[in-house]
Coordinates of all heavy atoms in Angstrom, one line a residue:
M13 N 0.9 -2.6 -7.3 CA 1.4 -1.6 -6.3 C 0.1 -1.0 -5.6 O 0.2 -0.7 -4.4 CB 2.2 -0.5 -7.0 CG 2.7 0.6 -6.1 SD 4.0 0.0 -5.0 CE 5.4 0.5 -5.8
V14 N -1.0 -0.9 -6.3 CA -2.2 -0.3 -5.6 C -2.6 -1.2 -4.5 O -3.0 -0.7 -3.4 CB -3.4 -0.2 -6.7 CG1 -4.7 0.2 -6.0 CG2 -3.0 0.9 -7.7
T15 N -2.6 -2.5 -4.7 CA -2.9 -3.4 -3.6 C -2.0 -3.3 -2.4 O -2.5 -3.3 -1.3 CB -2.9 -4.9 -4.1 OG1 -3.8 -5.0 -5.2 CG2 -3.3 -5.9 -3.0
C16 N -0.7 -3.1 -2.7 CA 0.2 -2.9 -1.6 C -0.1 -1.7 -0.8 O -0.1 -1.7 0.4 CB 1.7 -2.8 -2.2 SG 2.4 -4.4 -2.6
T17 N -0.3 -0.6 -1.5 CA -0.6 0.7 -0.8 C -1.9 0.6 0.0 O -2.0 1.2 1.1 CB -0.5 1.9 -1.7 OG1 -1.4 1.7 -2.8 CG2 0.9 2.1 -2.2
S18 N -2.9 0.0 -0.6 CA -4.2 -0.1 0.1 C -4.0 -1.0 1.4 O -4.6 -0.8 2.4 CB -5.3 -0.5 -0.8 OG -5.1 -1.8 -1.2
N19 N -3.2 -2.1 1.2 CA -3.0 -2.9 2.3 C -2.2 -2.2 3.4 O -2.5 -2.3 4.6 CB -2.1 -4.1 1.8 CG -2.1 -5.3 2.8 OD1 -3.0 -5.4 3.7 ND2 -1.1 -6.1 2.7
L20 N -1.3 -1.3 3.0 CA -0.5 -0.5 4.0 C -1.5 0.4 4.7 O -1.4 0.6 5.9 CB 0.6 0.2 3.3 CG 1.4 1.1 4.2 CD1 2.1 0.4 5.3 CD2 2.5 1.9 3.4
A21 N -2.3 1.1 4.0 CA -3.3 2.0 4.6 C -4.2 1.3 5.6 O -4.4 1.8 6.7 CB -4.1 2.7 3.5
S22 N -4.7 0.1 5.2 CA -5.5 -0.6 6.1 C -4.8 -1.0 7.4 O -5.3 -0.9 8.5 CB -6.0 -1.9 5.4 OG -6.7 -2.7 6.3
S23 N -3.5 -1.5 7.2 CA -2.7 -1.9 8.4 C -2.5 -0.7 9.3 O -2.5 -0.8 10.5 CB -1.4 -2.5 8.0 OG -0.5 -1.6 7.4
Q24 N -2.2 0.5 8.7 CA -2.0 1.7 9.5 C -3.2 2.1 10.3 O -3.1 2.5 11.4 CB -1.5 2.9 8.6 CG -0.1 2.6 8.1 CD 0.3 3.7 7.1 OE1 -0.5 4.2 6.3 NE2 1.6 4.0 7.1
R25 N -4.4 2.0 9.6 CA -5.7 2.3 10.3 C -5.9 1.3 11.5 O -6.2 1.8 12.6 CB -6.9 2.2 9.4 CG -7.1 3.4 8.5 CD -8.4 3.4 7.8 NE -8.5 2.3 6.9 CZ -8.0 2.2 5.7 NH1 -7.4 3.2 5.2 NH2 -8.2 1.1 5.0
Q26 N -5.7 0.0 11.3 CA -5.8 -0.9 12.4 C -4.8 -0.6 13.5 O -5.2 -0.7 14.7 CB -5.6 -2.3 11.9 CG -6.8 -2.9 11.0 CD -6.6 -4.3 10.7 OE1 -6.0 -5.1 11.5 NE2 -7.2 -4.8 9.7
L27 N -3.6 -0.3 13.2 CA -2.6 0.0 14.2 C -3.0 1.3 15.0 O -3.0 1.3 16.2 CB -1.3 0.2 13.5 CG -0.1 0.4 14.5 CD1 0.1 -0.7 15.5 CD2 1.2 0.6 13.6
T28 N -3.5 2.3 14.3 CA -3.9 3.5 15.0 C -5.1 3.3 15.9 O -5.1 3.8 17.0 CB -4.3 4.6 13.9 OG1 -3.1 4.9 13.1 CG2 -4.8 5.9 14.5
V29 N -6.1 2.5 15.5 CA -7.2 2.2 16.3 C -6.8 1.4 17.5 O -7.3 1.7 18.6 CB -8.3 1.5 15.5 CG1 -9.4 0.9 16.3 CG2 -8.9 2.4 14.4
A30 N -6.0 0.4 17.3 CA -5.6 -0.5 18.4 C -4.8 0.3 19.5 O -5.0 0.2 20.7 CB -4.8 -1.6 17.9
L31 N -3.9 1.2 19.0 CA -3.1 2.0 19.9 C -4.0 3.0 20.6 O -3.9 3.2 21.9 CB -2.0 2.8 19.1 CG -1.1 3.7 19.9 CD1 -0.3 2.9 20.9 CD2 -0.3 4.5 19.0
S32 N -4.9 3.6 20.0 CA -5.9 4.6 20.6 C -6.7 3.9 21.7 O -6.9 4.4 22.8 CB -6.7 5.2 19.5 OG -7.6 6.1 20.1
Q33 N -7.2 2.7 21.4 CA -8.1 2.0 22.4 C -7.2 1.6 23.6 O -7.7 1.8 24.7 CB -8.6 0.7 21.7 CG -9.7 0.9 20.8 CD -10.2 -0.4 20.2 OE1 -9.4 -1.4 20.0 NE2 -11.4 -0.5 19.8
L34 N -6.0 1.2 23.4 CA -5.2 0.8 24.5 C -4.9 2.0 25.4 O -5.0 2.0 26.6 CB -3.9 0.1 24.0 CG -3.0 -0.4 25.1 CD1 -3.7 -1.3 26.1 CD2 -1.7 -1.0 24.5
R35 N -4.5 3.1 24.7 CA -4.1 4.3 25.4 C -5.3 4.8 26.3 O -5.1 5.3 27.4 CB -3.7 5.4 24.5 CG -2.3 5.3 24.0 CD -1.8 6.5 23.2 NE -2.0 7.7 23.8 CZ -2.5 8.8 23.2 NH1 -2.7 8.9 22.0 NH2 -2.6 9.9 23.9
R36 N -6.5 4.8 25.7 CA -7.7 5.3 26.4 C -8.0 4.5 27.6 O -8.7 4.9 28.6 CB -8.9 5.5 25.5 CG -8.8 6.7 24.5 CD -10.1 6.9 23.9 NE -10.7 5.8 23.3 CZ -10.7 5.4 22.0 NH1 -10.0 6.1 21.2 NH2 -11.3 4.3 21.6
S37 N -7.6 3.2 27.6 CA -8.0 2.3 28.7 C -7.0 2.4 29.8 O -7.2 1.8 30.9 CB -8.0 0.9 28.2 OG -6.7 0.4 27.9
E38 N -5.9 3.2 29.7 CA -4.9 3.3 30.7 C -4.9 4.6 31.4 O -5.5 5.6 30.9 CB -3.5 3.0 30.0 CG -3.4 1.7 29.4 CD -3.3 0.5 30.4 OE1 -3.1 0.8 31.6 OE2 -3.4 -0.6 29.9
S39 N -4.1 4.7 32.5 CA -3.9 6.0 33.1 C -3.1 6.9 32.2 O -2.4 6.4 31.3 CB -3.2 5.8 34.4 OG -1.8 5.4 34.2
P40 N -3.2 8.2 32.4 CA -2.4 9.1 31.6 C -0.9 8.8 31.6 O -0.2 8.9 30.6 CB -2.7 10.5 32.2 CG -4.0 10.4 32.9 CD -4.1 8.9 33.4
M41 N -0.4 8.4 32.8 CA 1.1 8.1 32.8 C 1.4 6.9 32.0 O 2.3 6.8 31.2 CB 1.5 7.9 34.3 CG 3.0 7.7 34.4 SD 3.6 7.3 36.1 CE 3.2 8.8 36.9
R42 N 0.6 5.8 32.2 CA 0.8 4.6 31.4 C 0.6 4.9 29.9 O 1.3 4.3 29.1 CB -0.1 3.5 31.9 CG 0.1 2.2 31.1 CD 0.3 1.0 31.9 NE 0.1 -0.2 31.2 CZ 0.9 -0.8 30.3 NH1 2.1 -0.2 30.1 NH2 0.6 -1.9 29.7
G43 N -0.4 5.7 29.6 CA -0.7 6.1 28.2 C 0.5 6.7 27.6 O 0.9 6.5 26.4
A44 N 1.2 7.6 28.3 CA 2.4 8.3 27.8 C 3.5 7.3 27.6 O 4.2 7.4 26.6 CB 2.8 9.3 28.8
L45 N 3.6 6.3 28.4 CA 4.6 5.2 28.2 C 4.3 4.4 27.0 O 5.2 4.0 26.3 CB 4.7 4.3 29.5 CG 5.3 5.0 30.7 CD1 5.2 4.1 31.9 CD2 6.8 5.4 30.5
I46 N 3.0 4.1 26.8 CA 2.6 3.4 25.6 C 3.0 4.1 24.3 O 3.5 3.5 23.4 CB 1.1 3.0 25.7 CG1 0.9 2.0 26.8 CG2 0.6 2.6 24.3 CD1 -0.6 1.8 27.1
V47 N 2.8 5.4 24.3 CA 3.1 6.2 23.2 C 4.6 6.2 22.9 O 5.1 6.1 21.8 CB 2.6 7.7 23.3 CG1 3.2 8.6 22.3 CG2 1.1 7.7 23.3
K48 N 5.4 6.3 24.0 CA 6.9 6.3 23.9 C 7.3 4.9 23.4 O 8.2 4.9 22.5 CB 7.5 6.5 25.3 CG 9.0 6.6 25.3 CD 9.5 7.0 26.7 CE 11.0 7.1 26.7 NZ 11.5 7.5 28.0
A49 N 6.8 3.9 23.9 CA 7.1 2.5 23.4 C 6.7 2.4 21.9 O 7.5 1.7 21.1 CB 6.4 1.5 24.2
H50 N 5.6 3.0 21.5 CA 5.2 2.9 20.1 C 6.1 3.6 19.2 O 6.4 3.1 18.1 CB 3.8 3.4 20.0 CG 3.2 3.3 18.6 ND1 2.9 2.0 18.1 CD2 2.9 4.2 17.6 CE1 2.5 2.2 16.8 NE2 2.5 3.5 16.6
K51 N 6.6 4.7 19.6 CA 7.6 5.4 18.8 C 8.9 4.6 18.6 O 9.4 4.6 17.5 CB 8.0 6.8 19.4 CG 6.8 7.8 19.3 CD 7.2 9.1 20.0 CE 6.0 10.0 19.9 NZ 6.2 11.3 20.6
V52 N 9.3 3.9 19.6 CA 10.5 3.0 19.5 C 10.2 1.9 18.6 O 11.0 1.5 17.8 CB 10.9 2.5 20.9 CG1 12.0 1.5 20.8 CG2 11.4 3.7 21.8
W53 N 8.9 1.3 18.7 CA 8.5 0.2 17.9 C 8.5 0.7 16.4 O 9.0 -0.1 15.5 CB 7.2 -0.3 18.3 CG 6.8 -1.5 17.4 CD1 7.1 -2.8 17.5 CD2 6.0 -1.4 16.1 NE1 6.6 -3.5 16.4 CE2 5.9 -2.6 15.6 CE3 5.4 -0.3 15.5 CZ2 5.3 -2.9 14.4 CZ3 4.7 -0.6 14.3 CH2 4.7 -1.9 13.8
L54 N 8.1 1.9 16.1 CA 8.1 2.4 14.7 C 9.5 2.4 14.1 O 9.7 2.0 13.0 CB 7.4 3.8 14.6 CG 5.9 3.8 14.9 CD1 5.4 5.3 15.0 CD2 5.2 3.1 13.8
A55 N 10.4 2.9 14.9 CA 11.8 2.9 14.5 C 12.3 1.5 14.2 O 13.0 1.2 13.2 CB 12.7 3.6 15.5
F56 N 12.0 0.5 15.1 CA 12.3 -0.9 14.9 C 11.7 -1.4 13.7 O 12.4 -2.1 12.9 CB 11.9 -1.7 16.1 CG 11.9 -3.2 15.9 CD1 13.1 -3.9 15.9 CD2 10.7 -3.9 15.7 CE1 13.1 -5.2 15.6 CE2 10.7 -5.2 15.4 CZ 11.9 -5.9 15.4
R57 N 10.5 -1.2 13.4 CA 9.8 -1.6 12.2 C 10.5 -1.1 11.0 O 10.8 -1.9 10.1 CB 8.3 -1.2 12.2 CG 7.6 -1.6 11.0 CD 6.4 -0.7 10.7 NE 6.8 0.6 10.4 CZ 6.0 1.7 10.4 NH1 4.7 1.5 10.7 NH2 6.4 2.9 10.2
D58 N 10.8 0.1 11.0 CA 11.4 0.7 9.8 C 12.8 0.1 9.6 O 13.2 -0.2 8.4 CB 11.5 2.2 9.9 CG 10.1 2.9 9.9 OD1 9.2 2.2 9.5 OD2 10.1 4.1 10.3
A59 N 13.5 -0.1 10.6 CA 14.9 -0.7 10.5 C 14.8 -2.1 10.1 O 15.6 -2.6 9.4 CB 15.6 -0.6 11.9
E60 N 13.8 -2.8 10.6 CA 13.6 -4.2 10.2 C 13.2 -4.4 8.7 O 13.6 -5.3 8.1 CB 12.5 -4.8 11.1 CG 12.3 -6.3 11.0 CD 13.3 -7.1 11.6 OE1 14.2 -6.6 12.4 OE2 13.3 -8.3 11.4
C61 N 12.4 -3.5 8.2 CA 11.9 -3.6 6.9 C 12.9 -3.1 5.8 O 12.9 -3.6 4.7 CB 10.6 -2.9 6.7 SG 9.2 -3.7 7.6
A62 N 13.7 -2.2 6.2 CA 14.7 -1.6 5.2 C 15.5 -2.6 4.5 O 15.7 -2.6 3.2 CB 15.5 -0.5 5.8
P63 N 16.1 -3.6 5.2 CA 17.0 -4.6 4.5 C 16.2 -5.5 3.6 O 16.8 -6.1 2.7 CB 17.6 -5.4 5.6 CG 17.4 -4.6 6.8 CD 16.2 -3.7 6.6
K64 N 14.9 -5.6 3.7 CA 14.1 -6.5 2.9 C 14.2 -6.1 1.4 O 13.9 -6.9 0.6 CB 12.7 -6.6 3.4 CG 12.5 -6.9 4.8 CD 12.5 -8.4 5.1 CE 12.0 -8.6 6.5 NZ 13.0 -9.1 7.4
A65 N 14.5 -4.9 1.2 CA 14.4 -4.3 -0.2 C 15.8 -4.2 -0.8 O 16.0 -3.9 -2.0 CB 13.8 -3.0 -0.2
D66 N 16.9 -4.6 -0.1 CA 18.2 -4.4 -0.6 C 18.5 -5.1 -1.9 O 19.2 -4.6 -2.8 CB 19.3 -5.0 0.4 CG 19.6 -4.0 1.5 OD1 19.2 -2.8 1.3 OD2 20.2 -4.3 2.5
G67 N 17.9 -6.3 -2.2 CA 18.1 -7.0 -3.4 C 17.4 -6.3 -4.6 O 17.5 -6.7 -5.7
Y68 N 16.5 -5.3 -4.3 CA 15.7 -4.7 -5.4 C 16.0 -3.3 -5.6 O 15.2 -2.5 -6.1 CB 14.2 -4.9 -5.0 CG 13.8 -6.3 -4.8 CD1 13.5 -6.8 -3.5 CD2 13.7 -7.2 -5.9 CE1 13.1 -8.1 -3.3 CE2 13.3 -8.5 -5.7 CZ 13.0 -8.9 -4.4 OH 12.6 -10.2 -4.2
L69 N 17.2 -2.8 -5.2 CA 17.5 -1.4 -5.3 C 17.3 -0.9 -6.8 O 17.8 -1.6 -7.7 CB 18.9 -1.1 -4.8 CG 19.1 -1.2 -3.3 CD1 20.6 -1.0 -3.0 CD2 18.3 -0.3 -2.6
G70 N 16.7 0.2 -6.9 CA 16.5 0.7 -8.3 C 15.3 0.3 -9.1 O 15.2 0.7 -10.2
N71 N 14.5 -0.6 -8.5 CA 13.3 -1.0 -9.3 C 12.0 -0.9 -8.3 O 12.1 -0.7 -7.1 CB 13.4 -2.3 -10.0 CG 13.6 -3.5 -9.0 OD1 12.9 -3.5 -8.0 ND2 14.4 -4.4 -9.4
T72 N 10.9 -1.2 -8.9 CA 9.6 -1.1 -8.1 C 9.5 -2.1 -7.1 O 8.7 -1.9 -6.1 CB 8.4 -1.2 -9.1 OG1 8.4 -2.4 -9.8 CG2 8.3 0.0 -10.0
M73 N 10.2 -3.2 -7.2 CA 10.2 -4.2 -6.1 C 10.7 -3.7 -4.8 O 10.4 -4.2 -3.7 CB 10.9 -5.5 -6.5 CG 10.1 -6.3 -7.6 SD 8.5 -6.8 -7.0 CE 9.0 -8.0 -5.7
N74 N 11.6 -2.7 -4.9 CA 12.2 -2.1 -3.7 C 11.1 -1.5 -2.8 O 11.0 -1.9 -1.7 CB 13.1 -0.9 -4.2 CG 13.8 -0.2 -3.0 OD1 13.1 0.4 -2.2 ND2 15.1 -0.3 -2.9
S75 N 10.3 -0.6 -3.4 CA 9.2 0.0 -2.5 C 8.1 -1.1 -2.2 O 7.6 -1.1 -1.1 CB 8.6 1.2 -3.2 OG 8.1 0.9 -4.5
S76 N 7.8 -2.0 -3.1 CA 6.8 -3.0 -2.8 C 7.3 -3.9 -1.6 O 6.4 -4.3 -0.8 CB 6.6 -3.9 -4.0 OG 6.0 -3.1 -5.1
S77 N 8.5 -4.2 -1.6 CA 9.0 -5.1 -0.5 C 8.9 -4.3 0.8 O 8.6 -4.9 1.8 CB 10.5 -5.5 -0.8 OG 10.6 -6.2 -1.9
I78 N 9.3 -3.1 0.8 CA 9.2 -2.3 2.1 C 7.8 -2.1 2.5 O 7.4 -2.3 3.7 CB 9.9 -0.9 1.9 CG1 11.4 -1.1 1.7 CG2 9.6 0.0 3.1 CD1 12.2 0.1 1.4
I79 N 6.9 -1.9 1.6 CA 5.5 -1.7 1.9 C 4.9 -3.0 2.4 O 4.2 -2.9 3.4 CB 4.7 -1.2 0.6 CG1 5.1 0.3 0.3 CG2 3.2 -1.3 0.9 CD1 4.6 0.7 -1.0
A80 N 5.2 -4.1 1.8 CA 4.6 -5.4 2.3 C 5.1 -5.7 3.7 O 4.4 -6.2 4.5 CB 5.0 -6.5 1.3
C81 N 6.4 -5.5 3.9 CA 7.0 -5.7 5.3 C 6.3 -4.8 6.3 O 6.0 -5.3 7.4 CB 8.5 -5.5 5.2 SG 9.3 -5.7 6.8
T82 N 6.2 -3.5 6.0 CA 5.6 -2.6 6.9 C 4.2 -2.9 7.2 O 3.8 -2.9 8.4 CB 5.7 -1.2 6.3 OG1 7.1 -0.8 6.0 CG2 5.1 -0.1 7.2
A83 N 3.4 -3.3 6.2 CA 2.0 -3.7 6.4 C 1.9 -4.9 7.3 O 1.1 -5.0 8.3 CB 1.3 -3.9 5.1
A84 N 2.8 -5.9 7.0 CA 2.7 -7.1 7.8 C 3.1 -6.9 9.3 O 2.4 -7.4 10.2 CB 3.7 -8.2 7.3
M85 N 4.1 -6.0 9.5 CA 4.5 -5.7 10.9 C 3.4 -4.9 11.6 O 3.2 -5.0 12.8 CB 5.8 -5.0 10.9 CG 7.0 -6.0 10.6 SD 8.6 -5.3 10.9 CE 8.7 -5.4 12.7
N86 N 2.7 -4.0 10.8 CA 1.7 -3.2 11.4 C 0.5 -4.1 11.9 O 0.0 -3.9 12.9 CB 1.1 -2.2 10.4 CG 2.0 -1.0 10.2 OD1 3.0 -0.8 10.9 ND2 1.7 -0.2 9.1
Y87 N 0.1 -5.0 11.0 CA -1.0 -5.9 11.4 C -0.6 -6.7 12.6 O -1.4 -6.9 13.5 CB -1.3 -6.9 10.2 CG -2.1 -6.3 9.1 CD1 -1.6 -6.4 7.8 CD2 -3.3 -5.7 9.3 CE1 -2.4 -5.9 6.7 CE2 -4.1 -5.1 8.3 CZ -3.6 -5.3 7.0 OH -4.3 -4.7 6.0
S88 N 0.6 -7.2 12.7 CA 1.1 -8.0 13.8 C 1.0 -7.1 15.1 O 0.6 -7.6 16.2 CB 2.5 -8.5 13.6 OG 3.0 -9.2 14.6
R89 N 1.5 -5.9 15.0 CA 1.6 -5.0 16.2 C 0.1 -4.6 16.6 O -0.1 -4.6 17.8 CB 2.4 -3.8 15.9 CG 2.5 -2.8 17.0 CD 3.3 -3.2 18.1 NE 3.4 -2.2 19.1 CZ 3.7 -2.3 20.4 NH1 3.8 -3.5 20.8 NH2 3.8 -1.3 21.2
A90 N -0.7 -4.4 15.6 CA -2.1 -4.1 16.0 C -2.8 -5.2 16.7 O -3.5 -5.0 17.7 CB -2.9 -3.7 14.7
A91 N -2.5 -6.5 16.3 CA -3.1 -7.6 17.0 C -2.5 -7.7 18.4 O -3.2 -8.0 19.4 CB -2.8 -8.9 16.2
E92 N -1.2 -7.4 18.6 CA -0.6 -7.5 19.9 C -1.2 -6.4 20.8 O -1.5 -6.7 22.0 CB 0.9 -7.2 19.7 CG 1.7 -7.2 20.9 CD 3.2 -6.9 20.6 OE1 3.7 -7.4 19.7 OE2 3.8 -6.1 21.4
L93 N -1.4 -5.2 20.3 CA -2.0 -4.2 21.1 C -3.5 -4.5 21.4 O -3.9 -4.2 22.6 CB -2.0 -2.8 20.3 CG -0.6 -2.2 20.1 CD1 -0.7 -1.0 19.3 CD2 0.1 -1.9 21.4
R94 N -4.2 -5.1 20.5 CA -5.6 -5.5 20.8 C -5.6 -6.6 21.9 O -6.5 -6.5 22.8 CB -6.3 -6.0 19.6 CG -6.8 -4.9 18.6 CD -7.7 -5.4 17.5 NE -7.0 -6.5 16.7 CZ -6.4 -6.2 15.6 NH1 -6.2 -4.9 15.2 NH2 -5.8 -7.2 14.9
R95 N -4.7 -7.5 21.9 CA -4.6 -8.5 23.0 C -4.4 -7.9 24.3 O -5.0 -8.2 25.3 CB -3.6 -9.6 22.6 CG -4.0 -10.6 21.7 CD -3.0 -11.8 21.6 NE -1.6 -11.4 21.2 CZ -1.2 -11.2 20.0 NH1 -2.0 -11.4 19.0 NH2 0.0 -10.8 19.7
E96 N -3.4 -6.9 24.3 CA -3.1 -6.2 25.5 C -4.3 -5.4 26.1 O -4.6 -5.4 27.3 CB -1.9 -5.3 25.3 CG -1.4 -4.7 26.6 CD -0.1 -4.0 26.4 OE1 0.7 -4.3 25.5 OE2 0.2 -3.1 27.2
F97 N -5.1 -4.8 25.1 CA -6.3 -4.1 25.5 C -7.3 -5.0 26.1 O -7.9 -4.7 27.2 CB -6.9 -3.4 24.3 CG -8.2 -2.7 24.5 CD1 -8.3 -1.6 25.3 CD2 -9.3 -3.2 23.9 CE1 -9.6 -1.0 25.5 CE2 -10.6 -2.6 24.1 CZ -10.7 -1.5 24.9
R98 N -7.5 -6.2 25.5 CA -8.5 -7.1 26.1 C -8.1 -7.7 27.4 O -8.9 -7.9 28.3 CB -8.7 -8.3 25.1 CG -9.6 -7.9 23.9 CD -10.0 -9.1 23.1 NE -8.9 -9.9 22.6 CZ -8.4 -9.7 21.3 NH1 -9.0 -8.8 20.6 NH2 -7.4 -10.4 20.9
N99 N -6.8 -7.8 27.6 CA -6.3 -8.3 28.9 C -6.5 -7.2 30.0 O -6.5 -7.6 31.2 CB -4.8 -8.7 28.8 CG -4.6 -10.0 28.1 OD1 -5.5 -10.8 27.9 ND2 -3.4 -10.2 27.5
D100 N -6.5 -6.0 29.6 CA -6.7 -4.9 30.6 C -8.1 -4.7 31.0 O -8.4 -4.0 32.0 CB -6.2 -3.6 30.0 CG -4.6 -3.5 30.0 OD1 -4.0 -4.4 30.6 OD2 -4.1 -2.5 29.5
L101 N -9.0 -5.3 30.3 CA -10.5 -5.0 30.6 C -10.9 -5.9 31.8 O -10.4 -6.8 32.2 CB -11.3 -5.4 29.4 CG -11.2 -4.5 28.2 CD1 -12.1 -4.9 27.1 CD2 -11.5 -3.0 28.6

């Protein structure tokens, strides 16, 4: 479980940095739209990861499955945001 949570923390840091870089590279109006889209993406991520744990209700695999899914999606989104940032340069 410690590895899962440290992996989640690392993915969250990467996502935060990528989002921040992209926002700073854009106009204030576009930056606001990026933040709005990110909030929608967070809801999507949570909805996407919740069913992954259904088979593990009531045990530690429940939270591990959600954490692993969340971290994987965070890493993927961070990479997507970094590609967008590089394309804007």
Side-chain angles (χ1 to χ4, degrees):
M13 184 67 98
V14 171
T15 301
C16 282
T17 55
S18 64
N19 196 22
L20 179 61
S22 174
S23 74
Q24 288 172 327
R25 279 191 301 278
Q26 286 190 27
L27 184 56
T28 299
V29 168
L31 180 65
S32 179
Q33 286 177 330
L34 181 58
R35 280 186 53 220
R36 284 194 310 264
S37 73
E38 299 290 347
S39 69
M41 184 184 295
R42 176 128 164 81
L45 291 173
I46 290 168
V47 170
K48 185 176 180 177
H50 184 67
K51 288 178 183 178
V52 171
W53 180 84
L54 289 172
F56 165 75
R57 179 204 61 195
D58 293 346
E60 186 74 12
C61 289
K64 307 274 192 252
D66 278 350
Y68 303 109
L69 291 176
N71 67 40
T72 57
M73 287 301 291
N74 180 297
S75 57
S76 294
S77 296
I78 292 173
I79 289 170
C81 177
T82 301
M85 289 190 74
N86 284 350
Y87 282 128
S88 178
R89 178 69 173 157
E92 183 181 315
L93 293 174
R94 283 191 299 270
R95 280 191 302 274
E96 192 171 331
F97 172 69
R98 284 193 297 268
N99 288 338
D100 283 353
L101 294 180

